[in-house]
Amino acid sequence: MSIAREELLRTLVLANEFKEGDLSVGGTRDESVRAAARASLGSLTLGALAATPLVEDGVSEALAASLDRRLAAEVSHLTVGGLKAILLGDGGADWARRYGAGLSSEAIAAFVKLSTNEELSAVARRLFNPLPGEGVSVGSSRHFGSRIQPNSPGDDEEEILFSILEGLTYGCGDVIIGLNPAADDVETIVRLEELLRSAVERLGLPTRYCVLSDIAKQSSARARVRVDVGFQSLAGTSKALGGMLGTDVAGLLDLARGFGGLYFETGQGSEVTNGAAGGVDMVTLEARCYGVARHVGRETGAWMIVNDVAGFIGPEVFRTGGQLLRACLEDTVMAKLHGLTMGLDVCSTFHMGIEPAELRRLTRTIVERAAPAYLMAVAGNADPMLGYLTTSFRQHPALRAEAGRQISTPMRRRLNELGVMDARGVPRPGAESTATLYALYMKAGGDARPAETLRAEGTKKLGALSARGYDLGRGDGPAYEAPPEVEARLAAIYGHARRALYAALDEGVLREVSPRHLRVRAAAERERYLSDPPSGERLGAEDAGRVAALYAARRPQVQLVLSDGLNADAFNENARSVVPRLRRGLAEAGLHVGEADVVVTNGRVRAGYHVGELTSADLIVHLIGERPGTGLNTLSAYLTYGRDAAGRTRWSTALDHSCTTAVCGIHPRGKRPEAAVEEVVRCVLRMLEQHCSGVALGS
């Protein structure tokens, strides 16, 4: 028997522990209302849940198709409360392994809503989904591993390589080496895939590697390079998935079949913040993501891991350490009940305001209580490209010791052979070990110079990276604690990021780079802008009228929009080297650029779409300050073509972000401004020629 869809949606959102992101789909701060909803949810049967599709879309169809119908029928009589009693009982883990394939994603989400943190922890610490492997395998009960995340703001191969090498000296990287590219074109993907392959193969590392672009671009790259693991962010509705990939679950599955390994990322809140939740709450949407992963895994039979990036979006989703802990427990349990091997990125954006010391304390608690398969591992707690706080290399040895768990047996053996880990599994971190690995890497690549010469070269290169501000080659204190200079560096980055969040566009810079511009505003107040993203997506009525009146006759082909974003300092620092050069490059290409630039205070990316709607421009180039917390002030350019194949306008603040092409990390130490401008002009010309942008444009 089914129940009314609207009634079920309301019950599911009200039954959640409070997080800010659920308010937009009907959530409440009232604990008494939430308690009543949990009581109502607990009495529903799993059969009733399965018979009431929350969203009529391709995701729901895939979730239904992936269920084992026989097992689903056997458990359909259970209430959600009855399911909870079974899972918390002595045989709960065995029961989950036997019947998990018959549990719908919505039923798993409902169980989580009824459970306390302590109850979720009890399930998480008893249920594991190991991948095949000898000894301590990835995801097994005795395993705790990591993904080395060797990001570089300019995709610099030396920065990436030495991040990998130093991470290995702390015993990191046994699950995967996963790089987020600063540039997302196929040329860059091919180059970085080759770099990761060389590190893994030359050092004989028993791990996987992945360039985290998207699975469509990786499929294009496979014609030119071996791609070890395909990557894709997932979503709980077809609208949200299409907004990222430009296709639904069926298209994702077709792409996934070409890869022997798959790596999926999720995280509560992405559908809500992109206006693609379909009225569904964040916990249920997250469970549906895991259902998609389960479906693709079963259909392909590929090696597969999932990563939950908890805390990456910002305070509009949740904003306290307690909420981050709750999300990690919810997500880990839901993934495990779906039969997945999942790790966590226990992280915080700088505008959430969770300080580094608090995040480290939370990370220790989450490792102990949620028992994830792995965590991120970066060179220092602040990712140098993405600009957020996460787990450092030097935290991992202590976390493993506290949890009483180990890295995978094959990686432990290999690191022992390489001389950077002893027979007991204790790592030997430091500049000397990193330089030794560099020498071995170079020798394996055919360098005939003596090992001592190569070690000296490695030490020199490591020192140069450290001098440039990277947390590499700086060592550690007792119990792998960060040295004082490292703590000071992190405090400076945190302070820099917090200041950048409240910076203002420099009037002198604006006058210099944009002699004719129109100042407008989206969100009325900065605090609202930071906590409520939709407030930054549309201009106020009066300002909208002023923009609409800009061009009485000839509308521009290209309109420039300049915004502060999350980091006005990024615009102030880079505008002189970007804006005049960009306007000149577009004009020299024969394009009609709007005479007045639109300058938006408190503007999000979608504010550019609104300007497109108001000016009726063919194409918007939106320069916006982003990613406070990298230690650099990086600018991004978002390029969007605003017409459909028939030439009709498609401008709307609800336009999918998949329609936009991004050129990110613009900074002299990232993507150099002159190179970025050349790339933007090339993309603009292709967009106008092909009448599309974003995913449809391709690489």
Side-chain angles (χ1 to χ4, degrees):
M1 176 183 294
S2 65
I3 60 175
R5 173 181 175 274
E6 292 301 323
E7 178 185 351
L8 180 56
L9 285 171
R10 178 172 171 76
T11 300
L12 286 170
V13 68
L14 292 178
N16 274 344
E17 287 293 311
F18 175 71
K19 302 188 194 81
E20 282 76 8
D22 279 333
L23 292 175
S24 65
V25 290
T28 179
R29 298 177 186 270
D30 190 327
E31 173 55 30
S32 64
V33 173
R34 296 203 302 274
R38 287 193 288 271
S40 176
L41 184 61
S43 66
L44 293 178
T45 66
L46 305 192
L49 281 173
T52 310
L54 300 180
V55 186
E56 293 185 0
D57 67 359
V59 169
S60 295
E61 292 173 5
L63 299 185
S66 69
L67 276 182
D68 184 310
R69 294 187 179 183
R70 180 183 62 81
L71 293 177
E74 287 187 31
V75 301
S76 64
H77 68 285
L78 289 174
T79 64
V80 177
L83 173 64
K84 176 181 173 180
I86 290 172
L87 293 176
L88 291 174
D90 290 340
D94 289 337
W95 187 93
R97 280 187 283 270
R98 180 179 176 184
Y99 289 101
L103 292 177
S104 71
S105 298
E106 290 78 10
I108 290 171
F111 157 70
V112 163
K113 295 167 192 284
L114 263 58
S115 303
T116 66
N117 285 6
E118 290 70 26
E119 289 166 339
L120 292 175
S121 178
V123 174
R125 288 183 293 180
R126 291 186 309 199
L127 185 59
F128 298 89
N129 300 308
L131 296 175
E134 63 169 304
V136 177
S137 63
V138 170
S140 63
S141 60
R142 294 169 55 204
H143 172 258
F144 172 61
S146 60
R147 163 190 154 192
I148 290 179
Q149 183 170 288
N151 294 346
S152 161
D155 292 327
D156 182 275
E157 294 190 15
E158 205 159 85
E159 294 167 3
I160 293 166
L161 175 62
F162 276 89
S163 288
I164 294 170
L165 300 180
E166 180 149 309
L168 292 170
T169 71
Y170 284 92
C172 297
D174 65 325
V175 178
I176 197 167
I177 300 172
L179 172 71
N180 300 90
D184 202 22
D185 56 280
V186 169
E187 290 291 336
T188 299
I189 295 168
V190 169
R191 177 171 63 86
L192 297 179
E193 289 279 4
E194 286 283 10
L195 174 62
L196 298 190
R197 180 195 58 78
S198 72
V200 169
E201 291 186 359
R202 289 189 194 183
L203 294 175
L205 301 175
T207 191
R208 308 299 294 257
Y209 63 90
C210 180
V211 176
L212 283 71
S213 173
D214 66 58
I215 201 165
K217 291 191 182 74
Q218 285 181 300
S219 295
S220 298
R222 289 176 66 235
R224 298 170 51 191
V225 68
R226 178 179 183 270
V227 177
D228 184 40
V229 173
F231 169 79
Q232 183 57 48
S233 294
L234 297 182
T237 66
S238 293
K239 181 178 180 182
L241 186 60
M244 294 185 293
L245 186 60
T247 187
D248 207 340
V249 179
L252 168 63
L253 181 57
D254 285 343
L255 292 167
R257 293 187 194 280
F259 296 87
L262 295 171
Y263 180 24
F264 294 129
E265 274 193 351
T266 68
Q268 288 189 33
S270 65
E271 302 92 347
V272 170
T273 58
N274 284 308
V280 185
D281 67 276
M282 294 197 302
V283 170
T284 305
L285 287 167
E286 185 72 2
R288 285 165 62 90
C289 291
Y290 303 143
V292 171
R294 178 171 68 180
H295 173 63
V296 174
R298 288 178 179 171
E299 291 296 313
T300 63
W303 178 97
M304 187 177 76
I305 57 171
V306 180
N307 179 44
D308 172 33
V309 189
F312 186 72
I313 296 177
E316 65 269 28
V317 173
F318 52 81
R319 61 179 62 203
T320 70
Q323 290 173 321
L324 177 58
L325 169 62
R326 175 71 187 186
C328 289
L329 287 168
E330 290 169 342
D331 296 354
T332 305
V333 169
M334 290 193 295
K336 289 186 175 189
L337 287 172
H338 277 88
L340 304 174
T341 304
M342 191 177 84
L344 297 172
D345 191 346
V346 181
C347 63
S348 171
T349 56
F350 285 88
H351 60 310
M352 280 181 71
I354 297 178
E355 296 188 355
E358 181 185 0
L359 187 64
R360 286 195 291 266
R361 288 192 296 270
L362 280 167
T363 300
R364 290 197 300 271
T365 300
I366 289 165
V367 169
E368 190 273 327
R369 299 182 70 179
Y374 62 94
L375 293 187
M376 293 301 102
V378 305
N381 289 101
D383 186 281
M385 191 275 285
L386 293 174
Y388 73 117
L389 293 170
T390 186
T391 314
S392 71
F393 295 151
R394 59 174 63 85
Q395 285 178 263
H396 274 267
L399 289 171
R400 291 194 294 269
E402 291 171 10
R405 296 155 68 195
Q406 307 170 17
I407 65 172
S408 69
T409 295
M411 181 63 96
R412 177 172 170 174
R413 181 190 306 122
R414 183 56 184 154
L415 294 181
N416 176 258
E417 293 167 350
L418 292 169
V420 297
M421 178 174 279
D422 70 17
R424 299 170 299 156
V426 177
R428 295 171 177 151
E432 184 176 339
S433 290
T434 303
T436 295
L437 289 180
Y438 174 77
L440 292 170
Y441 170 83
M442 296 300 290
K443 280 283 190 184
D447 196 314
R449 288 177 291 169
E452 187 57 40
T453 300
L454 292 171
R455 282 194 294 270
E457 180 177 272
T459 301
K460 183 178 179 180
K461 288 177 179 289
L462 195 58
L465 289 170
S466 179
R468 278 159 47 189
Y470 284 88
D471 188 358
L472 291 169
R474 297 172 184 261
D476 50 79
Y480 305 103
E481 294 174 357
E485 64 270 20
V486 169
E487 292 286 15
R489 170 186 173 273
L490 185 59
I493 289 175
Y494 186 81
H496 174 273
R498 295 297 295 175
R499 288 190 299 274
L501 287 166
Y502 294 93
L505 294 170
D506 187 303
E507 291 291 344
V509 173
L510 274 175
R511 286 193 299 271
E512 183 177 338
V513 304
S514 181
R516 185 181 175 195
H517 61 262
L518 177 64
R519 291 295 302 266
V520 296
R521 179 179 289 271
E525 299 174 351
R526 190 64 177 174
E527 287 296 342
R528 186 180 177 198
Y529 169 80
L530 293 174
S531 62
D532 179 24
S535 69
E537 295 178 352
R538 289 187 70 86
L539 309 185
E542 182 178 341
D543 283 342
R546 295 165 63 213
V547 173
L550 269 177
Y551 307 113
R554 184 186 179 194
R555 60 176 171 79
Q557 283 180 289
V558 181
Q559 175 64 51
L560 298 187
V561 180
L562 317 175
S563 292
D564 48 9
L566 290 174
N567 185 0
D569 284 341
F571 180 86
N572 299 336
E573 187 174 317
N574 296 289
R576 290 184 177 92
S577 56
V578 173
V579 179
R581 183 181 276 121
L582 176 58
R583 180 177 286 279
R584 186 167 59 251
L586 293 170
E588 289 173 352
L591 302 178
H592 174 219
V593 183
E595 291 84 1
D597 302 332
V598 178
V599 178
V600 185
T601 297
N602 294 336
R604 299 273 179 173
V605 173
R606 291 187 190 276
Y609 304 164
H610 194 200
V611 173
E613 180 181 357
L614 296 168
T615 61
S616 196
D618 291 335
L619 193 147
I620 292 291
V621 176
H622 190 174
L623 296 172
I624 188 167
E626 290 194 311
R627 297 179 181 173
T630 63
L632 307 176
N633 291 313
T634 61
L635 194 66
S636 292
Y638 289 90
L639 287 61
T640 312
Y641 184 73
R643 302 193 178 278
D644 63 18
R648 297 181 296 262
T649 184
R650 61 175 183 173
W651 288 121
S652 164
T653 53
L655 190 67
D656 276 344
H657 285 317
S658 64
C659 297
T660 292
T661 298
V663 179
C664 300
I666 304 171
H667 186 276
R669 284 174 50 193
K671 181 180 283 293
R672 292 179 294 104
E674 58 272 23
V677 168
E678 290 176 2
E679 183 176 344
V680 168
V681 173
R682 286 197 305 270
C683 286
V684 166
L685 292 173
R686 287 183 61 212
M687 290 172 183
L688 292 171
E689 177 185 355
Q690 299 181 30
H691 308 294
C692 63
S693 57
V695 171
L697 185 70
S699 300

